[in-house]
Each structure stands twice: as C-alpha cells, then as structure tokens.
Amino acid sequence: MTEDELPPMPDFDPRATRRAVRRGLTRTAIMVLAALVVLALVATVGSSLIQRRGDREERMTSVLGTAFKIYNPGYNIEVRDWGATTPLSMSFTVAVNPMRAIGGFVAGYGGAEHVITQDFFGHVGRQPLGNGANTTLSRALVNVSTGNQPKQDSRKVLARLPEELNALAVVEFVKPLTTEELTAFTAKYKSYAEKVVYERRPRSIPITWGGMTMWDRAPMPAIKTGEDHEIEPGEAIKLDLSNFRRWVGILKDYDDDNLHDFDLSLARLRKAANDGLAYAYVDSLATIGKLRKVIEDPLVQTVRVADVTYDLERP
C-alpha cells in the first residue's frame, strides 16, 4: 500500500481519549489492588505457617504458659484462646484468680485476663504480676527464707483464729526436705502439698511447682489410684516433681532469654529440678487446728497463714 492509499487519519476525539485513559487507569488500579490482596494473603498465611511450623505453637504455649504459672504461684491460672496468630506474632490468653482457702470468701475476686505474646522472631515481652503481685499468698511466698514471722509470731496468729476454719498456708522448713521426707511429713499430718517451693530465694518469688498444667500434652506416667480414683497425696508429690523435671527437660538454651522475662533462668530451673528439695509447701486444705500441730514440729521453721475461709481483708 502506497502513501497515497493510506486511510485518512480520524479526527481527534477528546471524549473518547478520556474514556480510554480512564479505562486504562481503572484496569491498572484493579490489577495493583488484586496484587496487593494476593501479597497480603500470602504474607499472612505464609507468616502463620512459618510461625506454626512443626510444634512451635504447641511448644510456645507449653513453655511460656508454664513459665507464667511459675512466675505467679499465688494464682490459679487457666489458658484460654490459645493459638491466636497475626503476621508478626503468636499469642494466647491466660485467666488468673488469686488462690484462696478452699471454701473461702471469693466475692470481688473475679478472674483477670492477660495476653502472652511471642513475636515473629520468638521473643516475648515482659509479663504482668510476678514480683509485683500483691496477693496474700504471693507475699507469704516472698517471705520464705527471710526469717520474717517466726514461730512465736505465727503461734499468736493461729491462736486468734477458730481451729475449725480452713486455711491457705505456707509451711516453711528449717532445712529443705527430700521428696521422701516431704511425703512422710505430709502423711504424718494428713496435709496436702498443693504446691512445693523448690528454691531458697528470700524477698523474691521462688520457683514453686504444683498441680497439672493443661497445656502440657506430654504423656503422663501411669500411677496407681485408690478406690475413689484419686491420686494419693504422697504419689501426687512425686508426680508433681516428675512433671517439673520433665518440663525443665524440654527447655533449650535459646529459651533462657524469654525465661528472664518471667523472672526465671535455665540455671535456676535446672538446679531446682535436679535437687528436688522442698523448702516449703502450700496447703489450701489445712484447718487452723491442724496448723497449730504442724507448727510445733521441729522440722518446721514457721507457718504463714495467707487466707482463711472468711475474708481477711473485709472491713
């Protein structure tokens, strides 16, 4: 086709040009937005898969949830809503209630919730409560090994209270007992060692362990139970120490940084678990009458009453 045969150029149409430009911009914007949505989904799902790879999510709950429990021995702790994941973190929620004497006055002590978060790189932030907790049991545990409230003072407290009251108390020993000695001691007085203090750490929260951790999914050793299918107190003490040692056994050197945020350390935990020595124990089922007998035992340094079955702080 020669130059003379080319079709004539169409007249310039501003409206058509503007429509074409708008269509182009719209298509470009849609494509960019679609790409951003895809990238966001990939980032979110990919981050979640990376953070949850293997047993990382389960291990986070077991390690950090249990560390939080040791960090706050003055509370009953329940894990809720575990496994929440964002592109930059994983978290779970814990509900905490101050421990009270069994059957005690509990009005006004509703559970508080706290979120424990581990970032994308596995770091956890500083946690609430701990040494700042101001429950009666927390204060009693902080005083273990300080020499505060000696026997003569504790006897006066016990003498003022009716002997039939149930109490929450910390029984401290003159020198730490082995598991066998602790089992024999609690059997002698029919005491219930709900939690055991495995460390001498005056004026700070000591390493205290007791009860089952619902987030620990490792298989439990088989134990023989009585006709009522309940674990015997002596067996419970041995089982608790076994569980403590098993939990410490899953900890790795890289956990140490996070443990420091719970006022713990691998070295302290490993020593406490290896020694297995009881410096004190928490009993939430004792009566005042029973504690009056316990305090007279030569193995006992003192008994600190943290709560009884009426509100000590009520006006």
Side-chain angles (χ1 to χ4, degrees):
M1 180 179 293
T2 64
E3 184 175 343
D4 294 336
E5 296 174 332
L6 289 175
M9 292 289 293
D11 294 333
F12 177 72
D13 186 346
R15 289 185 178 181
T17 302
R18 286 195 293 270
R19 286 197 297 270
V21 170
R22 283 197 296 269
R23 285 196 298 270
L25 291 174
T26 300
R27 283 196 296 268
T28 302
I30 291 173
M31 293 177 64
V32 170
L33 287 174
L36 290 174
V37 169
V38 170
L39 287 174
L41 288 173
V42 170
T44 300
V45 175
S47 173
S48 178
L49 291 175
I50 291 172
Q51 293 187 80
R52 294 185 177 188
R53 66 188 182 276
D55 66 344
R56 193 168 183 262
E57 180 182 18
E58 182 175 319
R59 189 177 187 280
M60 176 198 73
T61 315
S62 181
V63 172
L64 302 186
T66 305
F68 187 82
K69 181 179 180 180
I70 299 174
Y71 185 49
N72 294 287
Y75 291 84
N76 293 311
I77 297 173
E78 176 190 359
V79 172
R80 298 177 181 173
D81 302 326
W82 67 284
T85 306
T86 71
L88 298 177
S89 67
M90 290 193 299
S91 65
F92 59 94
T93 302
V94 292
V96 301
N97 282 283
M99 286 186 64
R100 305 298 304 268
I102 298 300
F105 179 87
V106 295
Y109 283 83
E113 290 191 347
H114 299 281
V115 177
I116 298 177
T117 302
Q118 176 179 289
D119 67 22
F120 185 84
F121 301 101
H123 301 142
V124 65
R126 188 167 297 280
Q127 301 303 315
L129 305 177
N131 286 324
N134 197 32
T135 69
T136 52
L137 180 55
S138 298
R139 293 196 296 270
L141 289 169
V142 165
N143 276 301
V144 170
S145 301
T146 62
N148 294 338
Q149 198 175 352
K151 271 190 178 184
Q152 59 267 27
D153 293 342
S154 293
R155 287 191 187 103
K156 294 176 182 177
V157 173
L158 294 172
R160 292 197 300 266
L161 298 169
E163 67 176 12
E164 69 275 7
L165 289 180
N166 287 341
L168 173 67
V170 176
V171 178
E172 181 183 343
F173 298 113
V174 174
K175 63 177 183 178
L177 305 186
T178 64
T179 301
E180 291 72 21
E181 291 170 334
L182 176 60
T183 299
F185 181 90
T186 54
K188 178 180 178 180
Y189 294 102
K190 295 182 172 56
S191 295
Y192 174 52
E194 184 169 354
K195 295 187 177 184
V196 178
V197 177
Y198 286 110
E199 178 186 42
R200 175 178 283 118
R201 195 176 183 231
R203 297 177 181 83
S204 296
I205 294 291
I207 292 172
T208 305
W209 181 277
M212 308 296 287
T213 54
M214 67 191 67
W215 46 80
D216 184 359
R217 299 168 185 78
M220 301 300 299
I223 57 174
K224 185 177 180 180
T225 59
E227 293 181 359
D228 57 0
H229 304 291
E230 292 183 357
I231 301 173
E232 294 297 323
E235 289 298 320
I237 291 172
K238 296 174 184 177
L239 178 60
D240 276 348
L241 178 57
S242 175
N243 289 339
F244 178 36
R245 286 172 168 166
R246 181 164 51 83
W247 178 75
V248 171
I250 74 170
L251 300 177
K252 308 297 183 184
D253 289 346
Y254 59 75
D255 290 315
D256 203 32
D257 285 343
N258 281 343
L259 290 172
H260 280 287
D261 288 317
F262 295 89
D263 194 30
L264 295 168
S265 73
L266 268 176
R268 285 172 50 214
L269 286 165
R270 287 170 176 169
K271 183 179 188 309
N274 183 64
D275 292 347
L277 295 175
Y279 292 83
Y281 70 89
V282 177
D283 190 341
S284 62
L285 293 172
T287 62
I288 294 298
K290 182 184 293 184
L291 293 175
R292 290 175 184 172
K293 297 176 182 177
V294 169
I295 199 171
E296 299 306 327
D297 193 293
L299 295 177
V300 173
Q301 179 72 28
T302 192
V303 172
R304 296 183 178 86
V305 177
D307 187 43
V308 293
T309 47
Y310 65 83
D311 188 17
L312 290 173
E313 298 180 357
R314 182 173 53 186

